[in-house]
Structure formats: C-alpha cells, structure tokens
Amino acid sequence: MGYKTIRGVGTAQLIVKKSVFIGYASPANTEEEARGFIGKIKAHHSDATHNVSAYLINDGKNFAVRYDDDGEPKGSAGKPVLKVIQNRGLSNVVVVVTRYFGGIKLGYGGLVKAYSDAASLAIENAGIVEVHETERFEVAFPYNLFHKVRSTIEENGGRVVGEEYGELVKFTVETRKGEAEPLMELLTEKTRGRVRLRPLFMRSL
C-alpha cells in the first residue's frame, strides 16, 4: 500500500482583482507538524487579511482532516483548499493560502476559485510523489559473491541502502512491502545458500 504526498514546500502567488493570494503547501506527517506549519505562516504574514488553511493526514495509522476559513465567508476558503488536496488524492499535506485584500470584493464564487487556484499551484510547485511502505533486511556474504549478490538485488526491485566491509560484506537492502521475503529466497537460491540473511524492521519511507 502506498499513498501520494508532496516532495517538499511549494509556494505560489496570484493577484485577483488587486487581492494578493499566496499559497504554501508542505508535507506534514502529524497534526502537530501541520499546525506548526500553519502557525509559522500566520506569524510570517501576521499583517495579512486572512490566512486560510487545510490539512489532511492519513498514513494508515493516523487520520485527521481540518480546514479553517480564517474569517472568510463560511465554505468559501478553507473547504475549497481541502477539496484541492482531496481531489488530487493526497495525504499528509498542509496548505495555507494567505490573502492581502486589495479593496475589491470577489464574491463567493470568486473566493472559491482564487483559494483553489492558489492551493493547486502551490501543490504543483511542491511536486507530487508516491510513498510506498518498505521492508529491510541484511545480507552477509563472502567477497567473491559481491557482484552476484548486488546484481540479484538490483535486478529484482531491491535497493542497497547500507554497506559494511569486514570479514564478510554486509548489505542493508530495502524493498517494497511484501517483496523482502521472495528476494531473500532468491538470494539463497542464487548463491546456493552461501548468504546469511536477517530481516530488519519495517518502515514507511
């Protein structure tokens, strides 16, 4: 099981009828991280008319969804920002859209569009990535099996993420969830049992 999130922080700026909208999107793995990011943007733009926010946390264990219109008409700001996150199928994302009022009212539809557009652009600029659950194991082997072990790992969806060189070579190998065991079996088969294998903890990338 994987999920989609964003790579890093993205920003975007729009001017709509003299109002300036600045969108910020950031990855957030917990509600605390999301709230911390919102607090930071609010402090940075403490002179803004509104700092509208929304976040969606869902990593399989934790689930939280919140949005805040921050003084804009109900449903015209925070909810459209949340909808952008949901429509793109993203998880673990927080978005803040700051507005500096330019003196011309936009009306309900105009607000929805401006907040949605600023959120969309900020997310696009952050870059969307897929995150997969991963598993790790350690493989220890004599030096003369180096190329055989490495090529077997790399040709079968594994990734060497750690290397140690002592009496034996030790690789820490990462695979997608569910793929560690078949790869360990394959390594045993290819080396005629001359590797030592040890499963390591599972983690989410």
Side-chain angles (χ1 to χ4, degrees), residues 130 132-135 157-158 174-181:
E130 285 232 28
H132 295 278
E133 289 271 313
T134 60
E135 291 177 320
E174 191 168 80
T175 68
R176 281 193 185 184
K177 193 176 176 180
E179 291 177 11
E181 212 169 291

Side-chain angles (χ1 to χ4, degrees), residues 16-86:
V16 184
K17 292 185 181 171
K18 294 187 181 172
S19 273
V20 179
F21 291 85
I22 308 162
Y24 296 90
S26 172
N29 293 316
T30 62
E31 246 189 301
E32 289 70 39
E33 275 182 38
R35 285 202 291 259
F37 183 78
I38 293 165
K40 208 165 74 179
I41 301 298
K42 280 189 164 183
H44 184 63
H45 290 291
S46 54
D47 58 338
T49 324
H50 307 280
N51 284 292
V52 165
S53 59
Y55 59 83
L56 192 157
I57 310 292
N58 183 13
D59 57 9
K61 294 181 286 289
N62 306 302
F63 184 76
V65 180
R66 295 274 182 285
Y67 65 86
D68 177 11
D69 292 316
D70 196 37
E72 288 283 31
K74 190 171 158 37
S76 70
K79 207 171 190 177
V81 171
L82 178 63
K83 273 222 166 90
V84 170
I85 299 172
Q86 290 171 325

Side-chain angles (χ1 to χ4, degrees), residues 138-139 141 143 162-172:
E138 185 184 86
V139 53
F141 53 91
Y143 283 78
E163 301 176 36
E164 250 180 75
Y165 298 94
E167 278 178 41
L168 294 171
V169 181
K170 278 184 189 172
F171 282 170
T172 303

